[in-house]
Amino acid sequence: MKKRNEMMDRPVIDNDVREYLRTAQKQLDGEIGNIEKWANDKRVPIIPHETVTFFNWLLPLLQPKEILEIGTAIGFSAGLMIQASSPECHVTTIERNPDMIEKAKVNFKKMNIESNVTLLEGQASDWLEKLKEESVDFIFMDSAKAKYYDFFPHCYRLLKQGGVLAIDDVLQGGTILDDDEDVPRRRRKIHKKLNAFLDIVMDHPAFDSSVVPLGDGLLLITKRESFDFSFMLPEKTDQ
């Protein structure tokens, strides 16, 4: 029996259009294509193919040298971003799940990109505090959706001026607009935090932003000027 993932099966756009975008656009070949097929067959969440083809279009234009990824999973998106950028591209990627970490290491070896990747194991909140300000050209955040609000101030600080932050799965299968009482209790925290996050970033003067209806919604932000978003960080308590 295949694993069930409600948001994977609830497209923001029409089902027929979604399938067209996933099947009619250029497919991946080689080892990265094998990894994509394995993940889709096993129902392991990775970025959908319409986002894959978008990244293959976007990253050659941006030509990022330093990429930060929050949420390595099986390493597929890190491999894709390196392949779509340049041979000099380096990805620093953060993952806390031990099973995913081991799968990612295997896949990095299969894709022959070990020298282009630094895998940071542990909590993203711990690592993000340690990384250098304005040190990355492109950030891809695809982690726990309830943490987007908390991680954003760090991401904005780390991003160079003119750099791009891509944030996946911001529309929650189109339910992002639902009233709180209509959202199942198990998803209510995600719903509230995502809405609070979008309320801040959709029309902020420090950057340009756009939501692209790919997958479950891809939010793109271009940093135009520095801004202190530390008010969004959770308060630290003494132990």
Side-chain angles (χ1 to χ4, degrees), residues 174-185 187-188 191-192 195:
T175 65
I176 193 68
L177 301 177
D178 291 354
D179 293 331
D180 286 349
E181 57 268 24
D182 296 328
V183 177
R185 189 175 299 274
R187 289 197 289 110
R188 204 164 288 172
H191 183 76
K192 288 181 177 179
N195 270 288

Side-chain angles (χ1 to χ4, degrees), residues 38 71-72 86 100 115 127 158 161 172-173 179 213 237-238:
W38 177 87
T72 313
S86 70
M100 291 295 182
S115 62
W127 282 112
L158 298 172
Q161 189 165 341
Q172 285 292 284
D179 293 331
T237 56
D238 296 330

Side-chain angles (χ1 to χ4, degrees), residues 51 54-55 58 68 70 81 138-142 148 159 163-170 218-222:
T51 305
F54 179 72
F55 273 15
L58 176 67
L68 172 64
I70 306 169
M81 291 188 289
F138 185 81
I139 300 175
F140 180 45
M141 183 154 60
D142 186 15
Y148 284 179
L159 197 63
V164 173
L165 168 60
I167 306 170
D168 206 18
D169 300 329
V170 296
L218 182 70
L219 171 63
L220 297 168
I221 289 172
T222 302

Side-chain angles (χ1 to χ4, degrees), residues 7-30:
M7 293 307 169
M8 287 176 68
D9 297 318
R10 185 172 179 172
V12 176
I13 58 174
D14 177 88
N15 267 304
D16 291 338
V17 174
R18 180 190 67 168
E19 290 308 306
Y20 175 76
L21 294 177
R22 293 185 179 180
T23 58
Q25 299 191 86
K26 186 182 293 184
Q27 301 297 306
L28 298 175
D29 55 17

Side-chain angles (χ1 to χ4, degrees), residues 30-63:
E31 197 56 55
I32 196 165
N34 294 335
I35 294 169
E36 181 185 37
K37 184 178 185 306
W38 177 87
N40 289 332
D41 288 346
K42 298 292 184 181
R43 303 286 289 167
V44 175
I46 59 171
I47 56 174
H49 195 71
E50 61 268 32
T51 305
V52 168
T53 58
F54 179 72
F55 273 15
N56 274 337
W57 171 84
L58 176 67
L59 290 171
L61 297 178
L62 299 178
Q63 286 291 298

